Amino acid sequence: MSAIEHIPEFSAPVDNGLLRFLTCGSVDDGKSTLIGRLLYDTKAILADTLHAIERTSQRRGMEAIDLSLLTDGLLAEREQGITIDVAYRYFSTGRRKYIIADAPGHEQYTRNMVTAASTANLAIILIDARKGVLTQTRRHSCLAHLVGIPHLLVAVNKMDLVGYDRNVFERICDEYRKFARQLGISDVRFIPLSALNGDMVVDRGDKLDWYQGPTLIDILESAPAAHSERDERFRFPVQYVCRPQKADDPLLHDYRGFMGRVESGEIAVGDEVVVLPSERRSRIKHIQLGGRSVSYALAEQSVTLLLDEEIDISRGDMIMRSCDEKSALVTRRIEAMLCWLSESPLDARRKYLIRQTTRESRGLLDGIAYRLDINSLEQVAADRIGMNDIVRVAFRLAHPLVVDRYSENRATGAFIVIDESTNDTVGAGMIL
Amino acid sequence: MTTLAPAPVRQTLDHLDWLEAEAIYILREVAGQCSNPALLFSGGKDSIVLLRLAEKAFRPGRFPFPLLHIDTGHNYSEVIDFRDARACELGERLIVRSVESSMARGTVRLKSSDESRNKHQSVTLLEAIDEFGFDACIGGARRDEEKARAKERIFSFRDEFGGWDPKNQRPELWDLLNARVHRGENIRAFPISNWTELDVWQYIARENLGLPPIYFAHTRPVVRRGGLLQPVTELTPVREGDAVELLRVRFRTVGDITCTAPVESEADTVAKIIAETATTTITERGATRLDDQASEAAMEQRKKEGYF
């Protein structure tokens, strides 16, 4: 490999990277209309798509274009008239690329919301200005908080239907703040808007002069990116080991590259590392990024690490800095908040497969502490775990996992539960 | 030993770097979890991007999968030439299976000789999966392409009939992908799920990737049908009453000749295509796919039958 280069090289003068956010609310809150409005006003909707929804709007006897049709995806759900799954939408402002996870608000779809929330860095919680804070609002906020979304944005929609009344907005904000404190949510912002008319979404409109804050798109443009807000410890789960062993190329004969993605923190050439759970030690000799040698690597970069001494490492091992060794836990028992995703309840007699980072272990339920009622936010006794239940549980494991608390590291604190008879993903856990 | 450069704090990746890193992560998960995957390579731009990502993911090693092309026999020769040259240049194994062989076997029967073979690729693909025992096929599909794809998983589960059941897909949380299958079932893996058409073009520009020449503006005889341009070829001859025009056109996708339409364009460089894409008013599939026009639900239907 040739000269060391510095990374990253920014390909555009202003590229604020990427933001993944979640929208939660029901069809009645105007969620689909809000997403449609964002796509429409940022010019992400193209002519033929627009014509298709125009035709459908006319067929359904509507006068204006129904922007909610833009997010109304599959035939199956259009027949039922409800959203049945998480849909992903894309738009870009030129300064930033956005991935929207559109989660249905329907009561039985806790699992969809948890799925959508798992990759989001910001959540928009929609409230209908006429209805205020509902049970559903609490449920959404509770789940967004549980899944560790760092930024919540409460959008009080349908302001046009309450005469753009400032008092209505402030009453809802007060009510929400009270209950957010109860949940321990600290970072929350509020915005009044009308998705239908486009007020305060991308354009300010002229009806909400009393609101001095930024528009929705301004908030999104300046929202912090993942991994940007606090110092993180380096975590590198090995995905794949590259051993070319090309007989005709002596340089590659002893090549052993440990491939993976930096899940958090950063690493530099020369850093002393430890591999867990084996506790073998070495030092970073080279870091390769897409075939180039670089001097350091950052969170979210997929790289290949080469080490000084030859030590045995395989998929599922975790490479960390030696100085951080004590910060992660190597354990054969985990306690977690678990969201059950499957229609078949958890069978406490069966062993399930636990997948955390690139590592797997069989696990057995080792007790249910309580079920969290996401409507009342109360902890209630539970002896079974069914679909959409959120429970505090423990698992005993056949092999040790290298874990962090989910509240400290979403990548190394999360796991999924796999049913080996169907290979289906049946549960999602967050380590406490 | 001191470090070569102090690691800066709180730097974030630009959007192409992020998408690239995610795609490499997905490719390595396929390699780490699946025992016998294949990468679908057609010579089209999305699969050309996949190959560059695979180079970045696995070099200096070889790809842990062969390349697989399902050839309808109705492809532009420029695209086939490009496909072969690129596979050769990479030194990777290319497997080609053709819809015509399936027709000869009788597993594909056309309603009429000029029927589009596009949807019949599903049969040939499933036959290839069966022949080689592939447990995963990596494809270049994107969620922004079409409504039915907006909910597609990154690892999409297909039953032993190759069918995609939108109601029976595995939840995907965080970046924990689950590729486990039983014998006969398989996974379709989509590393560029989160890319848009514009992202693909920006990446092609940044990486300086070569493309088949028909992606760039060229002069070609075409006729106008149903709001789209149809190229005049041996497979799509002039019909009575057609007015043939000689236009400057380019292809935005390069699928089966009988169902892939070019758009009018003067863009003869990647930079000009990006400028056009950024301001375009017609979605990629709407402008170019005669088969999706039939109904809004056309793609969903095809996928249920085992399409990519």
Short mmCIF file of all heavy atoms in Angstrom, two decimals, chain A residues 8 11 15 46-49 69 75 77 88 90 97 115 118 228 239 259 261 300 302-304 315 355 406 421 423 425, chain B residues 10-11 14-15 18 21 25 28-29 33 57 143 150-151 170 172 174-175 177-178 182 194 199 280-281 283 286 300:
data_model
loop_
_atom_site.label_atom_id
_atom_site.label_comp_id
_atom_site.label_asym_id
_atom_site.label_seq_id
_atom_site.Cartn_x
_atom_site.Cartn_y
_atom_site.Cartn_z
N PRO A 8 -11.71 11.78 6.29
CA PRO A 8 -12.32 11.57 5.00
C PRO A 8 -12.10 12.77 4.09
O PRO A 8 -11.86 13.88 4.58
CB PRO A 8 -13.80 11.44 5.35
CG PRO A 8 -13.97 12.29 6.56
CD PRO A 8 -12.67 12.28 7.29
N SER A 11 -16.51 15.16 -0.58
CA SER A 11 -16.65 15.24 -2.04
C SER A 11 -17.44 16.48 -2.44
O SER A 11 -17.39 16.90 -3.57
CB SER A 11 -17.34 13.98 -2.56
OG SER A 11 -18.56 13.78 -1.90
N ASP A 15 -21.61 19.13 2.74
CA ASP A 15 -22.37 17.89 2.82
C ASP A 15 -22.45 17.53 4.28
O ASP A 15 -21.49 17.10 4.89
CB ASP A 15 -21.71 16.78 2.01
CG ASP A 15 -22.60 15.55 1.89
OD1 ASP A 15 -23.34 15.26 2.85
OD2 ASP A 15 -22.57 14.89 0.84
N LEU A 46 -41.53 13.20 -8.06
CA LEU A 46 -41.34 13.43 -9.47
C LEU A 46 -42.68 13.35 -10.22
O LEU A 46 -43.67 12.87 -9.69
CB LEU A 46 -40.33 12.42 -10.00
CG LEU A 46 -39.02 12.50 -9.20
CD1 LEU A 46 -38.07 11.41 -9.58
CD2 LEU A 46 -38.36 13.87 -9.36
N ALA A 47 -42.66 13.87 -11.43
CA ALA A 47 -43.90 14.11 -12.16
C ALA A 47 -44.81 12.90 -12.31
O ALA A 47 -46.01 12.97 -12.08
CB ALA A 47 -43.58 14.69 -13.53
N ASP A 48 -44.23 11.76 -12.66
CA ASP A 48 -45.13 10.62 -12.91
C ASP A 48 -45.75 10.08 -11.62
O ASP A 48 -46.89 9.63 -11.60
CB ASP A 48 -44.42 9.50 -13.70
CG ASP A 48 -43.14 9.05 -13.04
OD1 ASP A 48 -42.62 9.78 -12.18
OD2 ASP A 48 -42.64 7.97 -13.40
N THR A 49 -44.98 10.16 -10.52
CA THR A 49 -45.53 9.75 -9.23
C THR A 49 -46.70 10.67 -8.87
O THR A 49 -47.76 10.23 -8.40
CB THR A 49 -44.45 9.86 -8.14
OG1 THR A 49 -43.30 9.16 -8.58
CG2 THR A 49 -44.92 9.27 -6.83
N LEU A 69 -51.18 9.83 -0.11
CA LEU A 69 -51.10 8.67 -1.01
C LEU A 69 -49.66 8.33 -1.38
O LEU A 69 -49.36 7.21 -1.77
CB LEU A 69 -51.90 8.94 -2.30
CG LEU A 69 -53.42 8.99 -2.14
CD1 LEU A 69 -54.06 9.44 -3.43
CD2 LEU A 69 -53.95 7.63 -1.74
N LEU A 75 -50.13 -2.96 -2.15
CA LEU A 75 -51.49 -3.32 -2.50
C LEU A 75 -52.23 -3.87 -1.28
O LEU A 75 -53.35 -3.48 -0.98
CB LEU A 75 -51.41 -4.39 -3.59
CG LEU A 75 -52.69 -4.79 -4.32
CD1 LEU A 75 -53.24 -3.59 -5.06
CD2 LEU A 75 -52.39 -5.92 -5.29
N GLU A 77 -51.87 -3.34 1.86
CA GLU A 77 -52.30 -2.38 2.87
C GLU A 77 -53.29 -1.38 2.29
O GLU A 77 -54.13 -0.85 2.99
CB GLU A 77 -51.10 -1.65 3.47
CG GLU A 77 -50.52 -0.61 2.57
CD GLU A 77 -49.36 0.10 3.23
OE1 GLU A 77 -49.64 1.00 4.02
OE2 GLU A 77 -48.22 -0.25 2.96
N TYR A 88 -39.51 2.97 4.17
CA TYR A 88 -38.40 3.91 4.18
C TYR A 88 -38.52 4.86 3.00
O TYR A 88 -38.80 4.44 1.89
CB TYR A 88 -37.06 3.15 4.14
CG TYR A 88 -36.88 2.31 5.38
CD1 TYR A 88 -37.32 0.99 5.43
CD2 TYR A 88 -36.33 2.86 6.53
CE1 TYR A 88 -37.19 0.22 6.58
CE2 TYR A 88 -36.18 2.10 7.69
CZ TYR A 88 -36.62 0.79 7.70
OH TYR A 88 -36.50 0.05 8.86
N TYR A 90 -36.92 8.61 1.10
CA TYR A 90 -35.65 9.32 0.95
C TYR A 90 -35.87 10.70 0.38
O TYR A 90 -36.69 10.88 -0.52
CB TYR A 90 -34.74 8.52 0.00
CG TYR A 90 -34.54 7.13 0.49
CD1 TYR A 90 -35.46 6.12 0.16
CD2 TYR A 90 -33.51 6.82 1.35
CE1 TYR A 90 -35.31 4.85 0.67
CE2 TYR A 90 -33.35 5.55 1.86
CZ TYR A 90 -34.26 4.56 1.52
OH TYR A 90 -34.13 3.30 2.04
N LYS A 97 -28.68 14.32 3.33
CA LYS A 97 -29.58 13.28 2.86
C LYS A 97 -30.38 12.76 4.04
O LYS A 97 -29.84 12.63 5.15
CB LYS A 97 -28.75 12.13 2.25
CG LYS A 97 -29.59 10.94 1.78
CD LYS A 97 -28.72 9.80 1.29
CE LYS A 97 -29.52 8.51 1.15
NZ LYS A 97 -30.12 8.32 -0.18
N THR A 115 -38.92 -1.32 15.50
CA THR A 115 -38.06 -1.58 14.35
C THR A 115 -37.62 -0.27 13.70
O THR A 115 -36.44 -0.03 13.46
CB THR A 115 -38.80 -2.45 13.31
OG1 THR A 115 -39.19 -3.66 13.93
CG2 THR A 115 -37.91 -2.75 12.11
N SER A 118 -35.18 1.82 15.79
CA SER A 118 -33.88 1.28 16.14
C SER A 118 -32.73 1.97 15.41
O SER A 118 -31.62 2.01 15.91
CB SER A 118 -33.84 -0.23 15.89
OG SER A 118 -33.88 -0.52 14.51
N SER A 228 -21.98 11.98 16.99
CA SER A 228 -21.30 13.28 16.94
C SER A 228 -21.36 14.03 18.27
O SER A 228 -20.78 15.08 18.41
CB SER A 228 -21.93 14.15 15.84
OG SER A 228 -23.24 14.52 16.20
N GLN A 239 -16.27 -8.90 11.35
CA GLN A 239 -17.28 -9.51 10.49
C GLN A 239 -16.73 -10.66 9.67
O GLN A 239 -17.42 -11.64 9.40
CB GLN A 239 -17.79 -8.46 9.48
CG GLN A 239 -18.74 -7.44 10.00
CD GLN A 239 -19.24 -6.59 8.83
OE1 GLN A 239 -18.55 -5.68 8.38
NE2 GLN A 239 -20.41 -6.91 8.33
N MET A 259 -11.86 -7.65 8.98
CA MET A 259 -12.79 -6.73 8.35
C MET A 259 -14.00 -6.48 9.24
O MET A 259 -14.52 -7.40 9.86
CB MET A 259 -13.23 -7.32 7.01
CG MET A 259 -12.07 -7.53 6.06
SD MET A 259 -12.58 -8.29 4.52
CE MET A 259 -11.33 -7.58 3.44
N ARG A 261 -16.86 -2.99 10.73
CA ARG A 261 -17.21 -1.58 10.76
C ARG A 261 -16.94 -1.03 12.15
O ARG A 261 -17.22 -1.71 13.15
CB ARG A 261 -18.68 -1.39 10.41
CG ARG A 261 -19.06 0.08 10.24
CD ARG A 261 -20.43 0.24 9.68
NE ARG A 261 -21.40 -0.40 10.55
CZ ARG A 261 -22.71 -0.37 10.35
NH1 ARG A 261 -23.19 0.25 9.29
NH2 ARG A 261 -23.52 -0.96 11.17
N GLU A 300 -18.60 4.36 12.07
CA GLU A 300 -19.42 4.11 10.88
C GLU A 300 -18.60 3.79 9.65
O GLU A 300 -19.15 3.47 8.61
CB GLU A 300 -20.39 5.26 10.58
CG GLU A 300 -21.36 5.52 11.74
CD GLU A 300 -22.46 6.51 11.40
OE1 GLU A 300 -22.13 7.56 10.85
OE2 GLU A 300 -23.63 6.21 11.70
N SER A 302 -16.39 1.38 7.35
CA SER A 302 -16.07 -0.03 7.16
C SER A 302 -14.62 -0.12 6.74
O SER A 302 -14.25 0.40 5.69
CB SER A 302 -16.96 -0.63 6.08
OG SER A 302 -18.27 -0.82 6.56
N VAL A 303 -13.80 -0.78 7.55
CA VAL A 303 -12.36 -0.82 7.29
C VAL A 303 -11.81 -2.23 7.48
O VAL A 303 -12.53 -3.15 7.85
CB VAL A 303 -11.59 0.15 8.23
CG1 VAL A 303 -11.97 1.59 7.95
CG2 VAL A 303 -11.83 -0.20 9.70
N THR A 304 -10.53 -2.39 7.19
CA THR A 304 -9.82 -3.63 7.46
C THR A 304 -8.65 -3.30 8.38
O THR A 304 -7.88 -2.39 8.09
CB THR A 304 -9.30 -4.24 6.14
OG1 THR A 304 -10.41 -4.44 5.27
CG2 THR A 304 -8.60 -5.57 6.39
N ARG A 315 -14.63 -14.21 13.11
CA ARG A 315 -15.91 -13.49 13.13
C ARG A 315 -16.55 -13.63 14.51
O ARG A 315 -16.60 -14.74 15.05
CB ARG A 315 -16.85 -14.05 12.05
CG ARG A 315 -18.24 -13.41 12.08
CD ARG A 315 -19.14 -13.93 10.95
NE ARG A 315 -20.53 -13.57 11.19
CZ ARG A 315 -21.10 -12.43 10.82
NH1 ARG A 315 -20.39 -11.53 10.16
NH2 ARG A 315 -22.36 -12.18 11.10
N ARG A 355 -28.39 -12.99 18.85
CA ARG A 355 -27.37 -12.41 17.98
C ARG A 355 -27.11 -10.99 18.45
O ARG A 355 -28.00 -10.15 18.50
CB ARG A 355 -27.87 -12.39 16.54
CG ARG A 355 -27.19 -11.35 15.65
CD ARG A 355 -25.87 -11.80 15.08
NE ARG A 355 -26.06 -12.96 14.23
CZ ARG A 355 -26.58 -12.89 13.01
NH1 ARG A 355 -26.93 -11.73 12.51
NH2 ARG A 355 -26.75 -13.97 12.31
N TYR A 406 -27.02 -0.67 26.65
CA TYR A 406 -27.63 -0.05 25.47
C TYR A 406 -27.65 1.47 25.61
O TYR A 406 -27.46 2.19 24.63
CB TYR A 406 -29.05 -0.59 25.28
CG TYR A 406 -29.73 -0.10 24.03
CD1 TYR A 406 -29.48 -0.70 22.81
CD2 TYR A 406 -30.62 0.98 24.08
CE1 TYR A 406 -30.09 -0.24 21.65
CE2 TYR A 406 -31.24 1.43 22.93
CZ TYR A 406 -30.97 0.82 21.72
OH TYR A 406 -31.58 1.28 20.57
N SER A 421 -36.11 -22.80 14.80
CA SER A 421 -36.97 -23.70 14.03
C SER A 421 -37.48 -23.03 12.76
O SER A 421 -37.66 -23.67 11.74
CB SER A 421 -38.13 -24.21 14.89
OG SER A 421 -39.01 -23.14 15.20
N ASN A 423 -36.07 -19.82 11.87
CA ASN A 423 -35.03 -18.83 11.55
C ASN A 423 -35.56 -17.39 11.56
O ASN A 423 -34.90 -16.47 11.11
CB ASN A 423 -34.35 -19.10 10.20
CG ASN A 423 -33.43 -20.29 10.28
OD1 ASN A 423 -32.78 -20.48 11.30
ND2 ASN A 423 -33.36 -21.06 9.21
N THR A 425 -36.73 -13.74 13.03
CA THR A 425 -36.31 -12.82 14.10
C THR A 425 -37.54 -12.58 14.97
O THR A 425 -38.52 -12.01 14.50
CB THR A 425 -35.81 -11.50 13.49
OG1 THR A 425 -34.74 -11.80 12.60
CG2 THR A 425 -35.33 -10.55 14.58
N ARG B 10 -15.38 13.87 16.66
CA ARG B 10 -16.70 14.25 16.16
C ARG B 10 -16.74 14.64 14.69
O ARG B 10 -17.45 15.52 14.29
CB ARG B 10 -17.27 15.40 16.99
CG ARG B 10 -17.47 15.02 18.44
CD ARG B 10 -18.24 16.06 19.19
NE ARG B 10 -18.44 15.64 20.55
CZ ARG B 10 -17.67 16.00 21.56
NH1 ARG B 10 -16.64 16.79 21.36
NH2 ARG B 10 -17.92 15.57 22.77
N GLN B 11 -15.93 13.96 13.91
CA GLN B 11 -16.06 14.16 12.47
C GLN B 11 -17.19 13.25 12.01
O GLN B 11 -17.37 12.16 12.55
CB GLN B 11 -14.77 13.72 11.80
CG GLN B 11 -14.19 14.78 10.90
CD GLN B 11 -12.84 14.32 10.39
OE1 GLN B 11 -12.04 13.78 11.11
NE2 GLN B 11 -12.62 14.54 9.12
N ASP B 14 -19.54 12.11 5.04
CA ASP B 14 -20.49 12.71 4.11
C ASP B 14 -21.43 11.60 3.61
O ASP B 14 -21.22 10.42 3.89
CB ASP B 14 -19.78 13.49 3.00
CG ASP B 14 -19.20 12.62 1.89
OD1 ASP B 14 -19.58 11.44 1.79
OD2 ASP B 14 -18.37 13.12 1.13
N HIS B 15 -22.47 11.98 2.87
CA HIS B 15 -23.52 10.98 2.64
C HIS B 15 -23.05 9.82 1.76
O HIS B 15 -23.46 8.68 1.97
CB HIS B 15 -24.81 11.63 2.12
CG HIS B 15 -24.84 11.92 0.65
ND1 HIS B 15 -24.20 13.01 0.10
CD2 HIS B 15 -25.43 11.27 -0.38
CE1 HIS B 15 -24.41 13.00 -1.21
NE2 HIS B 15 -25.14 11.96 -1.52
N TRP B 18 -20.98 7.48 3.91
CA TRP B 18 -21.84 6.72 4.81
C TRP B 18 -22.51 5.57 4.07
O TRP B 18 -22.54 4.43 4.54
CB TRP B 18 -22.90 7.65 5.42
CG TRP B 18 -23.67 6.99 6.52
CD1 TRP B 18 -23.39 7.01 7.85
CD2 TRP B 18 -24.85 6.16 6.37
NE1 TRP B 18 -24.31 6.25 8.54
CE2 TRP B 18 -25.21 5.72 7.66
CE3 TRP B 18 -25.61 5.75 5.29
CZ2 TRP B 18 -26.30 4.90 7.89
CZ3 TRP B 18 -26.71 4.92 5.51
CH2 TRP B 18 -27.05 4.51 6.80
N ALA B 21 -19.99 2.85 3.28
CA ALA B 21 -19.62 2.06 4.46
C ALA B 21 -20.73 1.09 4.83
O ALA B 21 -20.48 -0.06 5.19
CB ALA B 21 -19.30 2.99 5.64
N TYR B 25 -20.51 -3.00 4.77
CA TYR B 25 -20.93 -3.76 5.95
C TYR B 25 -21.91 -4.87 5.56
O TYR B 25 -21.79 -6.02 5.99
CB TYR B 25 -21.57 -2.82 6.98
CG TYR B 25 -22.27 -3.52 8.11
CD1 TYR B 25 -21.54 -4.03 9.19
CD2 TYR B 25 -23.65 -3.72 8.09
CE1 TYR B 25 -22.18 -4.70 10.22
CE2 TYR B 25 -24.29 -4.39 9.12
CZ TYR B 25 -23.56 -4.87 10.18
OH TYR B 25 -24.19 -5.54 11.21
N ARG B 28 -20.22 -7.69 3.65
CA ARG B 28 -19.43 -8.55 4.55
C ARG B 28 -20.31 -9.40 5.44
O ARG B 28 -19.93 -10.51 5.82
CB ARG B 28 -18.49 -7.68 5.39
CG ARG B 28 -17.33 -7.10 4.56
CD ARG B 28 -16.56 -6.07 5.36
NE ARG B 28 -15.37 -5.61 4.65
CZ ARG B 28 -14.59 -4.61 5.08
NH1 ARG B 28 -14.90 -3.97 6.21
NH2 ARG B 28 -13.52 -4.26 4.41
N GLU B 29 -21.51 -8.92 5.77
CA GLU B 29 -22.45 -9.75 6.52
C GLU B 29 -22.89 -10.94 5.66
O GLU B 29 -23.05 -12.05 6.16
CB GLU B 29 -23.66 -8.95 7.00
CG GLU B 29 -23.43 -8.16 8.27
CD GLU B 29 -22.94 -9.03 9.43
OE1 GLU B 29 -23.74 -9.79 10.00
OE2 GLU B 29 -21.74 -8.92 9.75
N GLN B 33 -22.19 -14.62 6.94
CA GLN B 33 -23.33 -15.44 7.39
C GLN B 33 -23.75 -16.52 6.41
O GLN B 33 -24.36 -17.51 6.81
CB GLN B 33 -24.55 -14.54 7.65
CG GLN B 33 -24.42 -13.61 8.85
CD GLN B 33 -25.75 -12.94 9.18
OE1 GLN B 33 -26.80 -13.56 9.14
NE2 GLN B 33 -25.71 -11.66 9.50
N ALA B 57 -14.87 -4.00 -0.32
CA ALA B 57 -15.16 -4.85 0.84
C ALA B 57 -14.15 -5.98 0.99
O ALA B 57 -13.80 -6.33 2.11
CB ALA B 57 -16.58 -5.41 0.74
N ARG B 143 -34.61 0.99 -2.55
CA ARG B 143 -35.97 1.19 -2.03
C ARG B 143 -36.65 2.36 -2.71
O ARG B 143 -37.88 2.46 -2.67
CB ARG B 143 -35.93 1.43 -0.53
CG ARG B 143 -35.66 0.18 0.28
CD ARG B 143 -35.61 0.54 1.74
NE ARG B 143 -35.36 -0.61 2.60
CZ ARG B 143 -34.62 -0.55 3.69
NH1 ARG B 143 -34.04 0.59 4.05
NH2 ARG B 143 -34.45 -1.60 4.44
N ALA B 150 -40.33 0.09 -1.07
CA ALA B 150 -40.08 0.99 0.06
C ALA B 150 -40.03 0.23 1.38
O ALA B 150 -39.43 0.68 2.34
CB ALA B 150 -41.13 2.08 0.13
N LYS B 151 -40.69 -0.94 1.41
CA LYS B 151 -40.71 -1.72 2.65
C LYS B 151 -39.83 -2.95 2.55
O LYS B 151 -39.84 -3.80 3.44
CB LYS B 151 -42.14 -2.14 2.95
CG LYS B 151 -43.02 -0.94 3.16
CD LYS B 151 -44.40 -1.28 3.60
CE LYS B 151 -45.14 0.02 3.84
NZ LYS B 151 -46.48 -0.19 4.34
N ARG B 170 -38.84 -10.76 7.82
CA ARG B 170 -38.24 -10.65 9.15
C ARG B 170 -38.04 -9.19 9.52
O ARG B 170 -37.56 -8.42 8.70
CB ARG B 170 -36.88 -11.34 9.14
CG ARG B 170 -37.02 -12.82 8.86
CD ARG B 170 -35.68 -13.47 8.67
NE ARG B 170 -35.88 -14.89 8.42
CZ ARG B 170 -34.93 -15.71 8.04
NH1 ARG B 170 -33.69 -15.27 7.86
NH2 ARG B 170 -35.20 -16.99 7.82
N GLU B 172 -36.16 -6.06 10.73
CA GLU B 172 -34.73 -5.74 10.75
C GLU B 172 -34.50 -4.59 11.71
O GLU B 172 -34.95 -3.47 11.47
CB GLU B 172 -34.24 -5.36 9.35
CG GLU B 172 -33.97 -6.60 8.51
CD GLU B 172 -33.44 -6.31 7.13
OE1 GLU B 172 -33.50 -5.15 6.68
OE2 GLU B 172 -32.98 -7.26 6.49
N TRP B 174 -31.78 -2.29 14.17
CA TRP B 174 -30.40 -1.81 14.19
C TRP B 174 -29.74 -2.27 12.89
O TRP B 174 -30.38 -2.20 11.85
CB TRP B 174 -29.69 -2.31 15.46
CG TRP B 174 -30.39 -1.85 16.70
CD1 TRP B 174 -30.38 -0.58 17.18
CD2 TRP B 174 -31.24 -2.60 17.57
NE1 TRP B 174 -31.17 -0.52 18.32
CE2 TRP B 174 -31.69 -1.74 18.57
CE3 TRP B 174 -31.66 -3.94 17.59
CZ2 TRP B 174 -32.54 -2.16 19.60
CZ3 TRP B 174 -32.50 -4.35 18.61
CH2 TRP B 174 -32.94 -3.46 19.60
N ASP B 175 -28.50 -2.75 12.99
CA ASP B 175 -27.89 -3.31 11.80
C ASP B 175 -27.71 -4.81 11.93
O ASP B 175 -26.80 -5.40 11.36
CB ASP B 175 -26.54 -2.63 11.52
CG ASP B 175 -26.74 -1.16 11.17
OD1 ASP B 175 -27.59 -0.89 10.32
OD2 ASP B 175 -26.07 -0.30 11.77
N LEU B 177 -28.55 -8.08 10.91
CA LEU B 177 -29.19 -8.74 9.78
C LEU B 177 -29.22 -10.25 10.01
O LEU B 177 -28.26 -10.82 10.52
CB LEU B 177 -28.41 -8.41 8.50
CG LEU B 177 -28.30 -6.91 8.19
CD1 LEU B 177 -27.26 -6.66 7.11
CD2 LEU B 177 -29.65 -6.37 7.77
N ASN B 178 -30.31 -10.85 9.61
CA ASN B 178 -30.50 -12.28 9.85
C ASN B 178 -30.63 -13.02 8.53
O ASN B 178 -31.66 -12.94 7.88
CB ASN B 178 -31.74 -12.46 10.73
CG ASN B 178 -32.12 -13.91 10.94
OD1 ASN B 178 -31.43 -14.83 10.49
ND2 ASN B 178 -33.24 -14.12 11.63
N HIS B 182 -33.28 -22.25 5.89
CA HIS B 182 -33.25 -23.71 5.76
C HIS B 182 -32.95 -24.06 4.30
O HIS B 182 -33.08 -23.21 3.41
CB HIS B 182 -34.61 -24.30 6.17
CG HIS B 182 -34.87 -24.22 7.65
ND1 HIS B 182 -35.92 -23.52 8.18
CD2 HIS B 182 -34.18 -24.73 8.69
CE1 HIS B 182 -35.88 -23.61 9.51
NE2 HIS B 182 -34.83 -24.34 9.84
N ASN B 194 -30.54 1.77 0.53
CA ASN B 194 -30.76 3.15 0.98
C ASN B 194 -30.25 4.20 0.01
O ASN B 194 -30.23 5.38 0.33
CB ASN B 194 -30.11 3.34 2.36
CG ASN B 194 -30.93 2.71 3.47
OD1 ASN B 194 -32.16 2.67 3.38
ND2 ASN B 194 -30.27 2.19 4.48
N ASP B 199 -27.78 9.29 -5.80
CA ASP B 199 -26.62 8.77 -5.06
C ASP B 199 -25.78 7.86 -5.95
O ASP B 199 -24.55 7.92 -5.92
CB ASP B 199 -27.07 7.96 -3.83
CG ASP B 199 -27.82 8.80 -2.81
OD1 ASP B 199 -27.52 9.99 -2.68
OD2 ASP B 199 -28.72 8.24 -2.14
N THR B 280 -34.58 16.15 -12.66
CA THR B 280 -35.52 15.40 -13.48
C THR B 280 -36.93 15.42 -12.89
O THR B 280 -37.11 15.62 -11.70
CB THR B 280 -35.05 13.95 -13.64
OG1 THR B 280 -35.84 13.33 -14.64
CG2 THR B 280 -35.19 13.18 -12.35
N THR B 281 -37.90 15.24 -13.74
CA THR B 281 -39.27 15.25 -13.24
C THR B 281 -39.98 13.93 -13.45
O THR B 281 -41.17 13.82 -13.29
CB THR B 281 -40.09 16.36 -13.95
OG1 THR B 281 -40.01 16.14 -15.35
CG2 THR B 281 -39.58 17.73 -13.60
N THR B 283 -39.71 9.72 -12.47
CA THR B 283 -38.93 8.72 -11.73
C THR B 283 -38.30 7.74 -12.70
O THR B 283 -38.78 7.55 -13.80
CB THR B 283 -39.81 7.92 -10.74
OG1 THR B 283 -40.83 7.28 -11.48
CG2 THR B 283 -40.40 8.80 -9.68
N GLY B 286 -40.63 5.06 -14.01
CA GLY B 286 -41.72 5.63 -14.80
C GLY B 286 -41.28 6.01 -16.19
O GLY B 286 -42.02 5.88 -17.17
N GLU B 300 -45.15 -5.28 -7.22
CA GLU B 300 -45.47 -6.11 -6.07
C GLU B 300 -45.84 -7.52 -6.53
O GLU B 300 -45.41 -8.52 -5.97
CB GLU B 300 -46.63 -5.48 -5.29
CG GLU B 300 -46.92 -6.18 -3.97
CD GLU B 300 -48.05 -5.51 -3.20
OE1 GLU B 300 -48.42 -4.39 -3.55
OE2 GLU B 300 -48.55 -6.14 -2.26
#
